[in-house]
Amino acid sequence: MEGSGPVGVFGFSRALNLTARVTAPDLYCSANGATASDQPKYVGSSHQSPSSASFVEVAEEAPLDLNCLLFDCRDGRHIIKTLGSIHTFFQRTGRRVNLSFHVFEQQAPLIARTLLILWLFMREDDVSTLEKSQQILELLGNTFIRRRTADLLETLIPTLTRIVTDGCGPLSSHFDFSWLKFRERDDIEAVLKFWRGDGRSYDIAQLRDFRLRRYYGVRYDTRADAVDWDYHMKLREKAPIIHKSEFLRWRLHGIAFEVRESEYDVPNRTTATVSLLKQDGLKVSKWGYFSDIVTGPFLPFGVETDNAELLKTANDVHKHTSGEIAEYNVSEFIKNYHASKSGSIPPLAGLNITFLPCEPSQAVARLAKSGRKMHKIFVSSSFAHLIEDLLDPCLLADNINQGESGPSSATGSDSILDTEVIVETGKYLLDLNKEQTTAFRRKVCDLATQRDRFELYPSGNGNPDVIVAKDVDFLVFRTKRKSQGQPEHSEVTLQYSP
């Protein structure tokens, strides 16, 4: 699809808290091969919210491990929201957790962008939380950035380069690039040099205008009317929180997030990616802007919030913009993340982010070699076909190939947490009509269930068609259990797909 581009630099779905349905008994069984009856018990009423004071041996218990695989996340949004929501897992279960993220991106520029955004999110300095959130959103979705943000980016290049090449520097202990080939690490270093300038120009205005002319064709001179049509007929019913004015500004000028009356005049070089273009009859790799020009970067953080004040409407129009909601959400995630590392019993026991090779089969093969099994797997709509069989080595259950019974290869016990696979549906891809998005969801379900190793969750009272027919932004699958009579663990009812 021309509008979404061949290489996106931000996601087409909401950020997810990957601990939302994870319970302490689930992870305890998964890590230790125990049953639900072996779990530490509450002190006091079972209806009380768990806390560090309401659990026995909470400080002495080893932290729980949660392994997550992110396929083509592009912007680290799920990592940011999960880290910013880890305190809710602790309040719900009373258990600390080690988070391990395994990140696959299809190009070195996307790995570099993920590193940059996460480093800005995790850094500890005197910069205000509000300014940090504005910088993250600016680099995430704007084609032009403020001069002060560009200066910040330039000062960070040496630090990020040392993390990639030498594994040292601030926050380097949280990032692992050892699974990448040396060539891939060299490519990331070259990307960082390109961000600094490296003597090469990046005329994003011209590059984006070329994309716009090709997309609109004869409608180019009346593109404002085309944007108005897309907003009212396609986007508004799916994400009414996005205001027409900010959607129009981004579609016409590439500016999604504004800080008051600031001037945005410096090209955002982090949006540059590589694609194959024809030159003299040959396909050659070229730098350019090959990302989305239709939907916009509002979806990751700007379409939902737990602050009811920001969701108020007047005359069926939201009082607050998507940009305001995104700014609030990221600010809260930053505050909560830093709070989760403090206190006598910090909820976040450990954090590791491992970057995988830039070829899908090699990434999965590297995971299989390590023996690590995933509790949560996110797959973007661009890589939804991987659910057919490529992800098999990453799944916790061992009955995915021949339906064999017996002890689990991951834990030595049947009472394990089934791997949960979350597939992006392309709901917000505006170039797709309702029939196409429904067909896409049906195809994903067919791929997942044809070998009888996944089941749709929730199942819609036993009928997957109930969920497939809904215009949801995620489809959630779980690997089927090998045997009946396994203990049922309590579920957190927060739904990915409302």
Side-chain angles (χ1 to χ4, degrees):
M1 294 178 293
E2 179 64 30
S4 59
V7 186
V9 295
F10 45 78
F12 293 115
S13 58
R14 299 171 289 133
L16 296 176
N17 170 18
L18 297 178
T19 67
R21 288 205 203 94
V22 178
T23 61
D26 285 334
L27 292 184
Y28 186 88
C29 293
S30 176
N32 302 289
T35 64
S37 61
D38 297 327
Q39 304 314 308
K41 300 298 189 294
Y42 290 101
V43 174
S45 171
S46 60
H47 299 290
Q48 295 175 340
S49 297
S51 66
S52 59
S54 63
F55 268 77
V56 175
E57 301 174 337
V58 67
E60 290 79 6
E61 287 288 342
L64 302 169
D65 295 324
L66 178 63
N67 295 330
C68 303
L69 172 60
L70 304 177
F71 247 92
D72 196 38
C73 180
R74 303 178 184 179
D75 49 23
R77 64 191 183 280
H78 303 317
I79 299 177
I80 288 177
K81 184 166 184 177
T82 301
L83 292 177
S85 307
I86 199 65
H87 64 289
T88 62
F89 175 82
F90 184 74
Q91 292 168 355
R92 194 169 69 243
T93 66
R95 299 298 301 274
R96 303 171 68 211
V97 64
N98 283 315
L99 287 175
S100 182
F101 296 98
H102 302 78
V103 180
F104 165 83
E105 299 294 350
Q106 57 182 314
Q107 285 191 7
L110 299 179
I111 295 179
R113 262 179 66 90
T114 302
L115 171 63
L116 169 66
I117 292 172
L118 293 178
W119 196 95
L120 290 173
F121 173 79
M122 296 163 57
R123 63 178 169 156
E124 299 182 14
D125 51 29
D126 296 331
V127 179
S128 69
T129 301
L130 179 60
E131 177 66 16
K132 288 180 182 178
S133 66
Q134 291 170 346
Q135 292 169 348
I136 290 173
L137 293 172
E138 205 173 324
L139 290 165
L140 172 72
N142 287 359
T143 53
F144 288 91
I145 57 179
R146 295 173 292 168
R147 171 55 62 183
R148 63 185 300 176
T149 304
D151 292 340
L152 169 67
L153 177 61
E154 186 172 352
T155 61
L156 290 180
I157 299 303
T159 298
L160 299 179
T161 301
R162 290 180 62 202
I163 293 176
V164 174
T165 58
D166 302 326
C168 59
L171 301 177
S172 60
S173 60
H174 297 303
F175 298 99
D176 184 0
F177 289 87
S178 64
W179 289 24
L180 297 179
K181 299 177 181 178
F182 286 109
R183 175 181 56 79
E184 291 170 327
R185 278 186 266 181
D186 290 342
D187 290 342
I188 297 174
E189 184 180 6
V191 170
L192 296 174
K193 290 180 179 179
F194 175 81
W195 290 356
R196 191 169 53 192
D198 197 27
R200 287 182 285 181
S201 64
Y202 181 55
D203 190 350
I204 193 170
Q206 182 179 357
L207 293 170
R208 191 170 185 275
D209 185 69
F210 175 80
R211 290 279 312 285
L212 293 175
R213 288 179 181 275
R214 182 171 178 176
Y215 177 74
Y216 290 111
V218 296
R219 301 180 300 160
Y220 179 81
D221 291 333
T222 58
R223 59 190 181 279
D225 295 332
V227 174
D228 183 80
W229 173 271
D230 284 348
Y231 177 77
H232 285 98
M233 304 305 294
K234 299 180 180 180
L235 182 64
R236 188 177 181 182
E237 65 175 342
K238 299 179 179 181
I241 193 67
I242 302 176
H243 279 227
K244 176 185 173 181
S245 58
E246 56 186 343
F247 183 67
L248 182 66
R249 183 182 63 234
W250 185 81
R251 284 282 293 263
L252 297 182
H253 307 293
I255 304 297
F257 306 105
E258 281 190 321
V259 181
R260 295 173 291 278
E261 298 299 324
S262 301
E263 185 176 358
Y264 293 82
D265 55 357
V266 181
N268 183 0
R269 299 177 75 91
T270 71
T271 60
T273 52
V274 178
S275 185
L276 293 176
L277 299 177
K278 285 188 177 180
Q279 179 176 322
D280 299 330
L282 301 175
K283 287 188 175 182
V284 295
S285 297
K286 293 286 187 179
W287 283 95
Y289 182 79
F290 301 106
S291 185
D292 171 61
I293 57 173
V294 174
T295 304
F298 307 102
L299 302 174
F301 302 108
V303 294
E304 65 176 4
T305 181
D306 57 3
N307 187 340
E309 289 295 319
L310 295 178
L311 297 176
K312 288 185 175 180
T313 61
N315 298 321
D316 295 328
V317 177
H318 283 270
K319 293 183 177 181
H320 297 275
T321 66
S322 175
E324 292 176 286
I325 290 176
E327 192 173 283
Y328 168 82
N329 285 339
V330 176
S331 296
E332 288 300 301
F333 294 152
I334 293 174
K335 293 177 185 176
N336 293 338
Y337 165 68
H338 290 293
S340 70
K341 300 189 300 177
S342 60
S344 57
I345 307 178
L348 183 60
L351 171 64
N352 182 261
I353 302 169
T354 301
F355 291 94
L356 303 176
C358 296
E359 204 283 320
S361 60
Q362 294 179 9
V364 174
R366 187 64 179 83
L367 275 174
K369 183 178 180 180
S370 71
R372 299 183 188 179
K373 303 296 182 180
M374 300 295 112
H375 299 97
K376 295 292 184 83
I377 301 176
F378 167 81
V379 183
S380 75
S381 55
S382 300
F383 286 85
H385 58 282
L386 298 183
I387 197 173
E388 184 175 8
D389 56 16
L390 185 62
L391 297 178
D392 284 1
C394 308
L395 305 180
L396 276 169
D398 68 347
N399 65 328
I400 55 177
N401 292 321
Q402 293 85 21
E404 299 175 352
S405 60
S408 166
S409 59
T411 65
S413 170
D414 283 348
S415 55
I416 62 173
L417 171 66
D418 303 322
T419 298
E420 188 171 85
V421 181
I422 306 160
V423 183
E424 189 180 66
T425 64
K427 170 183 177 179
Y428 297 104
L429 294 175
L430 301 188
D431 287 338
L432 298 179
N433 57 39
K434 291 183 179 180
E435 291 74 18
Q436 290 171 322
T437 54
T438 300
F440 179 86
R441 292 192 295 271
R442 168 53 60 193
K443 180 63 174 179
V444 171
C445 284
D446 291 343
L447 289 175
T449 58
Q450 64 183 359
R451 289 170 56 202
D452 198 34
R453 71 195 185 287
F454 285 115
E455 57 186 357
L456 191 61
Y457 180 89
S459 60
N461 296 324
N463 184 7
D465 292 336
V466 174
I467 293 180
V468 172
K470 294 180 180 179
D471 193 19
V472 295
D473 47 357
F474 300 104
L475 291 174
V476 182
F477 302 92
R478 283 190 167 184
T479 50
K480 289 187 176 181
R481 293 182 182 273
K482 299 187 299 298
S483 61
Q484 303 299 322
Q486 293 188 27
E488 294 295 332
H489 305 317
S490 59
E491 293 289 349
V492 180
T493 57
L494 177 62
Q495 300 297 312
Y496 295 127
S497 305

